[in-house]
Amino acid sequence: MTRDGRLLRGERTRSAVLEQALVLATVSGLDGLSLSQVADALGVSKSGLFAHWRSKEALQLAVIDQARVQWTDRVIRPALTAPAGVRRLWAVHDRRIAFYEARVLPGGCFFANAHFEFNARPGPVRDRLAAQQTDWMTFLTGLASDAVALGDLRPDADPATLAYQTEAVGICAVMQASVLGPETTYRQARRALLGHLRAITTDPTILPELS
């Protein structure tokens, strides 16, 4: 069996290829990603990859889906172990910042970069990114709604606005970290949302202290 055949055998290996493509996309851009670039990084032939993704667009769409799996595994799933309500909303933000701090992706945030890159470019890639963003904001809004319903947040707290604020702090943090420094930026990102949540919660003691 050829090296390419061994490399591309099975779903596990396919995911490994997509993980490498995901890393490259945060550095070169999703539009700059190509089968040749991924093949070179993995030390295999382009033809071995072509059997799985027959076009650049097919690879781009697969990378978006892989990024979503990674985000779920590294951010969402760990945060869901926190108690429902405001503590779970905070846990999502905290895990997101921890994901950025770990520099899993050298280019920062795949989704932030890709949205800026394709925002004004209609087509399947933009549509897939838009669907992901819609699902993410729906998820954040749902967490905020649960926090209100459970009595963790004041009744006048607007879930959609809180979801927007949470996303805005996260995006701002990852975009500024490389310029202003990660330690200061990510500390401020945690303080910004935590301070706001403590101000509107009915019981600030269930949230961490500001540090």
Side-chain angles (χ1 to χ4, degrees):
M1 183 176 290
T2 65
R3 184 184 180 192
D4 285 1
R6 292 194 301 271
L7 178 65
L8 296 173
R9 182 180 54 193
E11 186 60 31
R12 177 180 295 182
T13 305
R14 183 178 184 276
S15 294
V17 172
L18 288 174
E19 286 287 345
Q20 180 62 49
L22 177 55
V23 168
L24 292 171
T26 66
V27 177
S28 302
L30 190 56
D31 191 47
L33 189 66
S34 69
L35 291 172
S36 296
Q37 184 187 36
V38 177
D40 289 345
L42 292 169
V44 301
S45 70
K46 180 180 175 181
S47 61
L49 299 179
F50 190 74
H52 288 254
W53 304 283
R54 293 190 168 274
S55 68
K56 177 177 178 176
E57 184 177 272
L59 178 62
Q60 290 171 329
L61 294 173
V63 170
I64 294 170
D65 293 342
Q66 185 68 25
R68 180 167 182 155
V69 170
Q70 183 188 72
W71 191 258
T72 299
D73 289 344
R74 298 294 295 263
V75 177
I76 295 176
R77 189 169 289 122
L80 291 179
T81 63
V86 71
R87 284 171 290 184
R88 187 170 293 177
L89 179 61
W90 163 248
V92 167
H93 182 68
D94 185 49
R95 291 301 307 176
R96 174 186 195 162
I97 299 303
F99 177 71
Y100 295 153
E101 286 175 325
R103 290 189 57 80
V104 176
L105 299 174
C109 180
F110 168 81
F111 286 112
N113 295 346
H115 279 296
F116 282 122
E117 189 178 358
F118 280 86
N119 190 47
R121 300 167 61 177
V125 173
R126 181 184 180 277
D127 292 345
R128 186 70 60 86
L129 289 167
Q132 184 279 330
Q133 181 68 12
T134 298
D135 289 346
W136 171 243
M137 294 306 296
T138 299
F139 172 70
L140 290 179
T141 303
L143 293 182
S145 295
D146 290 345
V148 174
L150 290 169
D152 285 356
L153 297 178
R154 298 196 309 248
D156 61 346
D158 178 60
T161 299
L162 187 52
Y164 179 87
Q165 292 167 329
T166 302
E167 175 68 357
V169 172
I171 290 292
C172 184
V174 75
M175 298 306 289
Q176 291 189 353
S178 62
V179 179
L180 303 181
E183 183 177 350
T184 299
T185 302
Y186 293 140
R187 182 174 64 249
Q188 186 59 40
R190 284 190 171 95
R191 285 181 56 86
L193 187 67
L194 182 58
H196 181 60
L197 292 177
R198 287 179 62 88
I200 62 174
T201 188
T202 56
D203 180 10
T205 65
I206 67 175
L207 289 169
E209 294 284 344
L210 285 169
S211 60

